[in-house]
Amino acid sequence: MTQVLALSGGIGGARLALGLQHTLPPGELTVVVNTGDDFEHLGLSISPDIDTVLYTLSGQENPDRGWGRGGDSWHFMAEIERLGGERWFRLGDKELAVHIERTRRLNAGEKLSRITADFAGHFGILGKVVPMTNDMVRTMVVTEGEGTLDFQQYFVARRCEPVVKGMAYAGAADAQMPPVLQEVLTDPSLQAIVICPSNPWLSIAPMLEIPAWREALQEATVPVIAVSPLLNGHAVRGPATKIMSELGLEPSSASIAQFYGNLIDGFVLDRSEAHVAPEIGVATHVTATSMKTPADRQRLAGEVLEFAGSFRGVGV
Ligand code: FO1
């Protein structure tokens, strides 16, 4: 039995994680999930990316929105609105149970990694889904004109409209890696680490700012392969290229590879970005990275694993 570790944010990353889950034998995938977007809302502990990964890997996602549960109802939100309560961040009825149960267990002193593992089990997921840390890390967006915003204020309440001047990851410098991830990273059967096509600045950077994570990637003896989230100079979803431009970066896969720098051994990019492949300082694999169908996801996952396998014996 081998092991593959995938680093993921929300929907883009979760889709490749789903492809990996279908491609690998049961139990061989561990998905590490960004918790920089986590926040407290209406007294509840919300972990948006963990939930997106749980719903996607168990086939319960909302494919249109990319967040929340498919086929959810909205009675709770309707009542909150009727009471004049907060309505900017929407919580569906089914997912409310997830937030309430997570909050109850966190308040009882349990670790987020334990709770997430149990939820994954209840959802029938055979691999591991693990938060990047059990400690509090909060992604903050430094904006022009509106000061520093909490991630969900920027992302949902302000719809990513403010111009981004920089990012901060509060708590990351002191955060630890959950012990279960140390076990996976030191498992001799670990074959590859895959950085899924999530937004590098919003979803992957919070992990890289945790010293134990940066060291783990730097010292990894297995290939670390990143997949670019850009197609034809645009992110399929979300503000990646808007943020890149605002940070003074060329919105291309080359800037993303540069962001990962010497942490990665290989880089997968879409055919529409092939012209920047010569600018990328590590081995590249150019292919179709769009993941509209299950067949797309599995083909891409298979190619990523094969590309990782091509480093075997080369020494990374
Ligand atoms: N995104 C929105 O744009 N609007 C929402 O009302 C919203 C609610 C929401 C509830 C639960 C959840 O797990 C995610 C939710 N998201 C919502 C998505 C989320 O804020 C972001 O997509 C992620 O944090 C970025 O990966």
Side-chain angles (χ1 to χ4, degrees), residues 55-75:
Y55 301 153
T56 304
L57 294 187
S58 61
Q60 302 181 69
E61 81 285 6
N62 182 314
D64 304 322
R65 278 200 314 257
W67 53 268
R69 291 273 281 267
D72 214 341
S73 53
W74 299 92
H75 301 293

Side-chain angles (χ1 to χ4, degrees), residues 201-267:
W201 290 270
L202 299 185
S203 302
I204 305 296
M207 295 186 216
L208 304 182
E209 291 294 315
I210 297 175
W213 270 113
R214 186 162 281 273
E215 268 163 45
L217 295 189
Q218 257 156 3
E219 287 163 18
T221 52
V222 298
V224 179
I225 309 293
V227 182
S228 172
L230 300 190
L231 276 105
N232 213 2
H234 294 284
V236 177
R237 265 174 215 268
T241 47
K242 177 178 179 284
I243 292 176
M244 290 170 88
S245 305
E246 290 166 358
L247 293 176
L249 300 166
E250 187 68 31
S252 88
S253 290
S255 307
I256 291 185
Q258 211 166 19
F259 173 80
Y260 291 130
N262 63 5
L263 296 178
I264 58 171
D265 303 296
F267 191 73

Side-chain angles (χ1 to χ4, degrees), residues 50-283:
I50 288 181
D51 291 347
T52 296
V53 169
L54 290 174
Y55 301 153
T56 304
L57 294 187
S58 61
Q60 302 181 69
E61 81 285 6
N62 182 314
D64 304 322
R65 278 200 314 257
W67 53 268
R69 291 273 281 267
D72 214 341
S73 53
W74 299 92
H75 301 293
F76 168 75
M77 281 312 299
E79 289 306 308
I80 279 279
E81 282 188 48
R82 204 211 307 237
L83 296 170
E86 286 195 48
R87 46 186 274 194
W88 65 274
F89 195 85
R90 303 182 62 74
L91 300 174
D93 295 332
K94 279 192 203 167
E95 39 156 1
L96 204 48
V98 172
H99 305 311
I100 289 173
E101 181 59 3
R102 176 190 294 119
T103 307
R104 182 190 71 75
R105 291 181 61 174
L106 284 172
N107 288 344
E110 289 192 59
K111 300 277 190 221
L112 184 60
S113 54
R114 176 74 259 158
I115 301 166
T116 306
D118 287 349
F119 285 4
H122 292 309
F123 284 164
I125 297 168
L126 296 175
K128 295 190 187 83
V129 178
V130 191
M132 66 183 192
T133 180
N134 283 319
D135 302 316
M136 192 190 278
V137 174
R138 293 290 179 265
T139 300
M140 317 285 290
V141 185
V142 185
T143 70
E144 212 171 86
E146 298 187 30
T148 300
L149 301 178
D150 293 344
F151 178 81
Q152 298 296 348
Q153 278 295 325
Y154 163 78
F155 198 89
V156 176
R158 293 290 293 113
R159 298 169 192 271
C160 309
E161 280 166 15
V163 172
V164 176
K165 286 202 309 190
M167 306 291 305
Y169 308 96
D174 299 317
Q176 308 294 315
M177 181 186 286
V180 62
L181 288 174
Q182 279 157 4
E183 282 164 31
V184 175
L185 282 161
T186 52
D187 186 332
S189 68
L190 183 65
Q191 297 289 304
I193 300 175
V194 178
I195 303 180
C196 290
S198 295
N199 183 316
W201 290 270
L202 299 185
S203 302
I204 305 296
M207 295 186 216
L208 304 182
E209 291 294 315
I210 297 175
W213 270 113
R214 186 162 281 273
E215 268 163 45
L217 295 189
Q218 257 156 3
E219 287 163 18
T221 52
V222 298
V224 179
I225 309 293
V227 182
S228 172
L230 300 190
L231 276 105
N232 213 2
H234 294 284
V236 177
R237 265 174 215 268
T241 47
K242 177 178 179 284
I243 292 176
M244 290 170 88
S245 305
E246 290 166 358
L247 293 176
L249 300 166
E250 187 68 31
S252 88
S253 290
S255 307
I256 291 185
Q258 211 166 19
F259 173 80
Y260 291 130
N262 63 5
L263 296 178
I264 58 171
D265 303 296
F267 191 73
V268 178
L269 66 166
D270 190 67
R271 286 203 185 103
S272 60
E273 300 266 303
H275 57 282
V276 300
E279 297 167 40
I280 291 167
V282 293

